[in-house]
Amino acid sequence: MTQLDGSALAARLRAGDRTAAPDVLNLVESRTPAARVQADALLRGVSPAALGAEAGGHVVGVTGPPGAGKSTLLSELVRAWRAAGRTVAVLAVDPSSRRTGGALLGDRARIAYDPRDDGVFIRSTAAADRLGGLAPSTRAAATALAAAFDVVVVETVGVGQSETDIAELADTVAVVVQPGSGDTLQFLKSGIMEIPDVLVVTKADLGDIALRARRDLSAALRSVGERETAVLAVSSVAPATGIDELIAALDAHLAHTDVAARRVRARRATALADFTAEHGERGLRALGGRREAQRWLAAQNPACDVPSLVGGLEARTVSA
Amino acid sequence: MSHRLPERDKPWMMRTYAGHSTAAKSNELYRSNLAKGQTGLSIAFDLPTQTGYDPDDELARGEVGKVGVPVAHAGDMAALLDGIPLDRMNTSMTINATAAWLLALYVVTAESQGVEQAQLSGTTQNDIIKEFLARGTYAFPPGPSMRLIADMIAYTVEEIPKWNPINICSYHLQEAGATPVQEIAYAMSNAIAVLDAARERVPADRMSAVFARISFFVNAGVRFVEEHAKLRAMAVLWEQLGRERYGVTDEKALRFRYGVQVNSLGLTESQPENNVQRIVLEALAVTLGRDARARAIQLPAWNEALGLPRPWDQQWSLRIQQVLAFETDLLEYPDIFEGSKVMEGLVGELLEGARAEMAVVAEHGGAVKGVDYMKAALVDSHRERIRRIEDGEQIVVGLNRFTESEASPLVEGVDGGIMTVDPAGEAQQIEAVRAWRSGRDQAATDAALAELARVAASEGENIMPATIAAARAGVTTGEWSRTLREVFGEFRAPTGVGDAAASLNGSADLAALRDEVDRVSEALGRRLKILVGKPGLDGHSNGAEQIAVRARDVGMDVVYEGIRLTPEQIATSALHEGVHVVGLSILSGSHLELIPAVVTQLRERGVDVPVVVGGIIPDADVQPLKAAGVAAVYTPKDFDITRIMQDIVRLVAERGGVSTAA
């Protein structure tokens, strides 16, 4: 196989060429040493330094328990975003078990789109070992695609655990729950779960039970002193309802967020995650522990890209 | 009681599942079948008609007139039944999502013959749950689909009292791999869902009449003793259900009535003549005991695993029925299993298993909500069946044992022993439907469709009167369906594969293959990824599902999106997903149109990965497919999926420049 060229792919993304997306994913998913070098080049090529600003795409995390209706909701969101002329990339992280090494990735089946429309890109990836964990390539992919797509959705499965990962990566996190899911309520109240930016109750077509769920969740948020989070009810059953309101809520969150600060945080968290994936606990100890590593990262230039940050950490283990 | 009947029983109704090319050609076939002694009609519709698309729809491409007859409007139905007196005919229509529409066309055709709807007798299959589970010709989401079924029941029980508005199908469950216990349990759970929905739409005092009109469509495999016991068990459960859940007391209404098409899953492509004795034995399963004998029988043809049967092949199957009914003494005795310990024991076992499984479905919220659960259970059962055949635990003569064979003269003819449908027929049908549309009163059509949309959106109204009015107004199959899709929304059924349990067991071959997948994946840089696709309207997804599950079990990442995809959709998915290989499955006979279209679309997108194809592909079509760029073709005789997987890994390694295994 010919090795993909990371700098060339970055140039295409910077020029708004969305047809680069499949190869971008092929590259960041690839674990050969040659591919890793190219993937680093790709990320440098879409870093704030290369772009002159943070990438323009809105990275939206969509997460929630299995069966909550995420994929059907995404189908409606994609339709609405396209109708508004916004391009969308969906990175679906599938929770399938990797017991046999392989995984069944079925999620794109539930997202309807026009195959002739190059404004939509959908890629499924098997999750990391733990439920809701991001595949290592997903962070890199989301960062890169945000340079060429208006919206980049990262879809994960889980409740209570996955929000941390996704919150490190996304500009806006939407947690999706279905009516009658008491877990979410408990997790919110007890502080197990991070507070989402937007909370979506699906299956509003069920009527009273969905309205009650929405009320209960709003009350739970108020009880922990959280008044910013929008709570919305949507239905993906024809005729779909609440989708435009959800998009407005996502946009409103973005408008009130210091995106640059969030992205800097995300890059530093990604660098630490990548470093740990590569060098393990032993590597962390060589840096003087996780907190020490975080302190070092916090002191770096905010525009610094992930490969440079990882390289910096690695250099410190050598000098230590 | 005497051991003889005072009078020989009348034979069951004899049918042949038939239809192809055009309404006129199918009419010719029906008339000649009736002349040969067939006593009822069984209409096979093509996939566009079954899924609600006109011949000129993009999704209908390659499928028009293939697995059945295209019926796009009242004119087609009139041509199909021309010269057949509908007041005296008993017609079974294998039609589900669009059942209300085809019944309406039938009623309007009868009208034109001067026959009142109340005189009509027959059956619409109309079982949507099994379409979600196994057959794939659904069109609308579960809720509206169940409403259409209930509407038809409520309408026919008053207006067409001799009509069976629904056949609860266990047939397709067995084809999808169901064990006898699953077949019974899921069919009965399905019946409960249907009857519960009907109960909402008919007055309480009519439930007995409704119950009496529900019939079943079952399957019979070659283990014919147990299969007979299965039918006796179903009769017991049915009566119990009527009495206990629906308060039915009329003995006649409580009778378990069923029609049957015997097993196709067990028919082989290798040594296909052996299928004849399989079919005979399976016919015994549904006729031997008088207490659970079929009301209507249609038998498959010996060459179904090779391609489409010819009229002569179908005649052979009809003659099997006639020999059984008229030459043997089968119909001269009361039930021959009364007092049989073996039969009683088997029935008891099955009842116990089925009741337990029905309880599990009930825990999942019943058959509608339990579709995901049942689908995954079927995929698992089918996988187990394939494993037993691969390991030689289950013997299939001529396939995995006794495979030495003389050349078969049956497949030596110029036609290869199968029928081929003229591909030019599709273009003619496209022209015909356009001519129909331009020749009708458009204002009347528009008004009928507007009324149909209004009724569909009004939960409390019955869909049938507006549907019959639309048929009279010249509406087409695609227009009726589109109108309802707009109101009800569209739906994709669960694929079942995501929930199928991962299996680490298996032969040494499997373990070695898993290592090879790991090795090739590492060399490629990322995990070997396969797209399993089903182009066209064909909903028979069992094969694709088994390939998807096995690919996962040998360590591949698998993208499977279910049925009914256009070549463009498949190619776009392959591009987005970065797969290393594409596997396509097709059983409807439209492979020569659709497979090259997928390959072209892939290459246009720069996706230069190997494409392999599986399905009912006649020998003569293999070369043209390879010429179109297909790397390998698999047919039913390639029963060893592990071997197919080995091929696929090798193809990917070669294309990726990875050295082959030492």
Side-chain angles (χ1 to χ4, degrees):
Chain A
M1 298 220 136
T2 47
Q3 182 55 57
L4 292 161
D5 180 339
S7 309
L9 284 171
R12 285 170 67 192
L13 290 174
R14 286 198 305 270
D17 177 3
R18 291 182 303 273
T19 64
D23 277 343
V24 166
L25 266 292
N26 293 346
L27 177 60
V28 298
E29 285 181 0
S30 191
R31 309 316 288 167
T32 61
R36 302 289 289 275
V37 171
Q38 292 302 323
D40 284 353
L42 165 68
L43 285 184
R44 287 199 187 93
V46 292
S47 66
L51 293 170
E54 292 291 341
H58 183 189
V59 181
V60 178
V62 173
T63 186
K70 289 182 298 298
S71 305
T72 34
L73 172 63
L74 267 181
S75 193
E76 292 302 327
L77 279 173
V78 168
R79 195 196 311 268
W81 272 319
R82 289 306 293 136
R86 292 159 88 172
T87 56
V88 192
V90 178
L91 303 173
V93 183
D94 201 286
S96 293
S97 149
R98 266 213 177 276
R99 265 188 70 204
T100 62
L104 274 159
L105 311 168
D107 245 18
R108 70 179 296 127
R110 290 189 288 268
I111 303 175
Y113 68 99
D114 177 355
R116 276 162 293 199
D117 177 8
D118 70 1
V120 179
F121 173 76
I122 304 172
R123 176 81 159 213
S124 341
T125 318
D129 301 333
R130 71 201 161 82
L131 185 69
L134 290 180
S137 57
T138 306
R139 294 163 184 269
T143 305
L145 295 184
F149 285 84
D150 297 330
V151 182
V152 178
V153 176
V154 179
E155 181 198 3
T156 63
V157 175
V159 63
Q161 314 92 8
S162 63
E163 293 79 9
T164 323
D165 268 19
I166 199 91
E168 282 176 4
L169 170 64
D171 303 326
T172 304
V173 177
V175 168
V176 180
V177 295
Q178 60 178 333
S181 48
D183 288 359
T184 309
L185 207 59
Q186 293 312 320
F187 288 168
L188 272 178
K189 280 186 178 167
S190 60
I192 290 176
M193 178 175 148
E194 292 221 8
I195 304 298
D197 302 317
V198 176
L199 197 49
V200 187
V201 181
T202 54
K203 308 185 185 179
D205 51 301
L206 295 178
D208 287 350
I209 172 171
L211 289 176
R212 196 176 324 126
R214 184 180 168 186
R215 236 180 6 247
D216 291 349
L217 288 166
S218 297
L221 285 168
R222 276 198 306 277
S223 78
V224 295
E226 181 56 61
R227 288 168 195 284
E228 297 284 302
T229 298
V231 184
L232 293 110
V234 301
S235 168
S236 309
V237 174
T241 58
I243 303 299
D244 292 343
E245 291 82 349
L246 173 55
I247 288 180
L250 295 171
D251 290 346
H253 175 265
L254 183 70
H256 291 107
T257 301
D258 182 349
V259 175
R262 220 164 149 143
R263 295 263 173 98
V264 172
R265 220 164 42 231
R267 283 196 289 276
R268 289 170 179 168
T270 301
L272 191 55
D274 285 359
F275 175 85
T276 313
E278 192 69 33
H279 303 284
E281 292 299 321
R282 185 190 295 263
L284 275 180
R285 275 196 303 278
L287 289 174
R290 180 177 293 273
R291 289 180 60 80
E292 189 50 40
Q294 282 166 336
R295 249 195 298 276
W296 182 83
L297 285 165
Q300 302 310 303
N301 178 351
C304 207
D305 56 70
V306 172
S308 308
L309 290 172
V310 174
L313 288 170
E314 283 168 341
R316 287 178 67 78
T317 60
V318 176
S319 62
Chain B
M1 191 179 74
S2 162
H3 64 284
R4 288 185 186 281
L5 290 173
E7 187 179 346
R8 194 183 160 89
D9 273 334
K10 274 200 291 200
W12 52 88
M13 178 150 348
M14 298 184 191
R15 294 187 175 122
T16 307
Y17 183 56
H20 67 87
S21 302
T22 65
K25 281 200 177 132
S26 300
N27 176 263
E28 215 174 283
L29 178 64
Y30 295 167
R31 290 201 209 199
S32 88
N33 283 348
L34 290 168
K36 287 173 186 161
Q38 182 176 300
T39 51
L41 280 184
S42 171
I43 303 180
F45 295 100
D46 71 357
L47 287 168
T49 306
Q50 292 189 50
T51 49
Y53 299 101
D54 283 337
D56 57 347
D57 195 288
E58 187 196 346
L59 271 166
R61 177 164 161 208
E63 306 276 17
V64 178
K66 277 281 162 53
V67 300
V69 59
V71 173
H73 46 71
D76 281 344
M77 189 62 111
L80 182 66
L81 300 167
D82 182 39
I84 299 171
L86 296 188
D87 50 342
R88 279 173 284 140
M89 185 45 59
N90 189 312
T91 305
S92 166
M93 295 195 267
T94 299
I95 198 74
N96 295 279
T98 53
W101 171 245
L102 272 298
L103 176 60
L105 292 178
Y106 195 81
V107 166
V108 170
T109 299
E111 270 173 15
S112 70
Q113 289 187 2
V115 175
E116 308 249 337
Q117 57 177 352
Q119 296 170 268
L120 299 175
S121 59
T123 305
T124 30
Q125 191 166 79
N126 205 15
D127 170 1
I128 210 69
I129 291 176
K130 71 92 173 50
E131 296 296 332
F132 294 141
L133 286 176
R135 195 167 168 275
T137 69
Y138 52 79
F140 316 115
S145 296
M146 294 305 285
R147 177 239 171 139
L148 290 181
I149 293 172
D151 277 357
M152 284 179 71
I153 293 173
Y155 184 83
T156 55
V157 78
E158 302 306 335
E159 308 293 338
I160 320 178
K162 286 187 290 178
W163 197 265
N164 299 312
I166 180 168
N167 245 340
I168 305 285
C169 295
S170 76
Y171 173 85
H172 312 83
L173 306 181
Q174 182 175 124
E175 294 295 313
T179 62
V181 161
Q182 288 175 324
E183 197 184 327
I184 301 170
Y186 299 165
M188 287 295 155
S189 302
N190 182 352
I192 290 172
V194 167
L195 284 162
D196 285 0
R199 190 154 54 177
E200 310 271 301
R201 293 181 98 84
V202 299
D205 63 343
R206 296 297 287 155
M207 272 314 278
S208 182
V210 165
F211 196 80
R213 286 327 303 171
I214 308 293
S215 54
F216 286 72
F217 185 63
V218 310
N219 204 329
V222 79
R223 290 171 53 82
F224 69 100
V225 181
E226 185 184 39
E227 289 292 78
H228 185 71
K230 176 185 78 186
L231 296 161
R232 298 171 88 91
M234 288 177 86
V236 172
L237 284 173
W238 183 240
E239 183 181 337
Q240 186 191 1
L241 193 65
R243 285 189 199 283
E244 293 175 6
R245 193 176 176 106
Y246 302 104
V248 180
T249 51
D250 176 7
E251 295 293 331
K252 214 177 146 210
L254 286 164
R255 257 183 238 160
F256 175 63
R257 298 179 309 124
Y258 72 92
V260 62
Q261 160 106 5
V262 304
N263 186 289
S264 284
L265 179 66
L267 301 185
T268 58
E269 181 192 2
S270 0
Q271 301 179 28
E273 61 280 2
N274 295 334
N275 294 329
V276 174
Q277 48 270 31
R278 292 191 181 105
I279 293 165
V280 172
L281 294 170
E282 289 162 358
L284 286 180
V286 295
T287 53
L288 268 179
R290 188 173 189 258
D291 284 358
R293 186 171 290 151
R295 301 293 176 111
I297 298 180
Q298 50 193 37
L299 298 179
W302 66 276
N303 55 352
E304 285 208 352
L306 277 63
L308 289 176
R310 302 157 300 187
W312 177 79
D313 308 310
Q314 296 200 322
Q315 176 187 309
W316 195 354
S317 290
L318 175 63
R319 296 296 184 241
I320 292 173
Q321 295 202 52
Q322 289 165 331
V323 168
L324 205 53
F326 298 113
E327 291 189 20
T328 77
D329 52 351
L330 191 66
L331 295 174
E332 293 169 17
Y333 313 111
D335 188 74
I336 63 172
F337 291 113
E338 203 184 307
S340 157
K341 261 194 191 161
V342 170
M343 198 47 74
E344 207 174 291
L346 283 174
V347 171
E349 261 174 32
L350 290 169
L351 281 174
E352 196 185 327
R355 286 188 176 122
E357 188 61 19
M358 283 172 74
V360 176
V361 176
E363 275 168 28
H364 280 85
V368 177
K369 289 201 174 123
V371 162
D372 292 56
Y373 162 74
M374 291 189 286
K375 177 75 187 177
L378 289 174
V379 171
D380 270 338
S381 292
H382 198 196
R383 179 168 59 176
E384 174 60 14
R385 177 184 178 275
I386 289 174
R387 186 199 61 76
R388 285 199 315 270
I389 294 175
E390 282 179 339
D391 295 353
E393 256 172 64
Q394 180 172 333
I395 294 171
V396 183
V397 173
L399 185 74
N400 64 359
R401 277 287 282 282
F402 314 114
T403 50
E404 307 71 17
S405 178
E406 307 295 335
S408 166
L410 277 178
V411 294
E412 268 176 4
V414 281
D415 58 1
I418 51 166
M419 188 181 79
T420 38
V421 174
D422 179 9
E426 184 161 310
Q428 288 162 19
Q429 289 299 308
I430 290 173
E431 242 171 72
V433 74
R434 288 181 178 156
W436 172 270
R437 284 196 210 108
S438 58
R440 68 188 176 185
D441 174 354
Q442 194 56 41
T445 310
D446 293 344
L449 285 173
E451 171 65 3
L452 179 70
R454 186 195 65 74
V455 172
S458 153
E459 188 71 28
E461 281 184 74
N462 194 306
I463 202 80
M464 281 310 297
T467 297
I468 293 172
R472 279 197 203 104
V475 164
T476 67
T477 300
E479 291 165 342
W480 181 85
S481 308
R482 193 183 326 125
T483 302
L484 295 195
R485 279 187 168 100
E486 276 161 14
V487 178
F488 295 152
E490 295 210 43
F491 182 69
R492 290 192 76 76
T495 61
V497 298
D499 297 326
S503 165
L504 283 165
N505 312 322
S507 59
D509 279 359
L510 210 60
L513 183 53
R514 217 171 269 141
D515 287 345
E516 178 64 0
V517 170
D518 284 348
R519 189 188 70 84
V520 172
S521 298
E522 248 171 54
L524 290 169
R526 57 196 175 92
R527 191 149 283 279
L528 205 163
K529 198 171 186 183
I530 181 173
L531 177 97
V532 178
K534 276 199 68 66
L537 292 175
D538 173 29
H540 292 89
S541 54
N542 305 326
E545 287 152 8
Q546 291 304 316
I547 293 286
V549 170
R550 184 67 62 88
R552 188 268 314 263
D553 286 349
V554 300
M556 299 185 200
D557 276 352
V558 184
V559 179
Y560 175 58
E561 298 180 78
I563 59 166
R564 227 183 279 175
L565 299 169
T566 63
E568 272 188 327
Q569 285 172 318
I570 290 173
T572 301
S573 294
L575 171 71
H576 284 187
E577 294 293 347
V579 298
H580 299 101
V581 56
V582 173
L584 303 172
S585 160
I586 202 160
L587 284 84
S588 64
S590 48
H591 45 270
L592 284 182
E593 289 83 1
L594 292 172
I595 303 289
V598 175
V599 176
T600 306
Q601 293 284 343
L602 284 169
R603 304 303 181 239
E604 270 177 20
R605 286 165 175 74
V607 182
D608 185 30
V609 300
V611 175
V612 301
V613 175
I616 299 192
I617 315 268
D619 275 348
D621 294 350
V622 172
Q623 258 332 101
L625 288 177
K626 290 199 165 163
V630 169
V633 175
Y634 301 99
T635 66
K637 69 176 181 301
D638 303 301
F639 65 93
D640 190 336
I641 300 185
T642 302
R643 239 187 241 174
I644 297 177
M645 290 297 147
Q646 287 165 344
D647 283 0
I648 289 175
V649 176
R650 203 186 51 244
L651 283 169
V652 170
E654 282 167 11
R655 191 70 60 106
V658 177
S659 65
T660 41

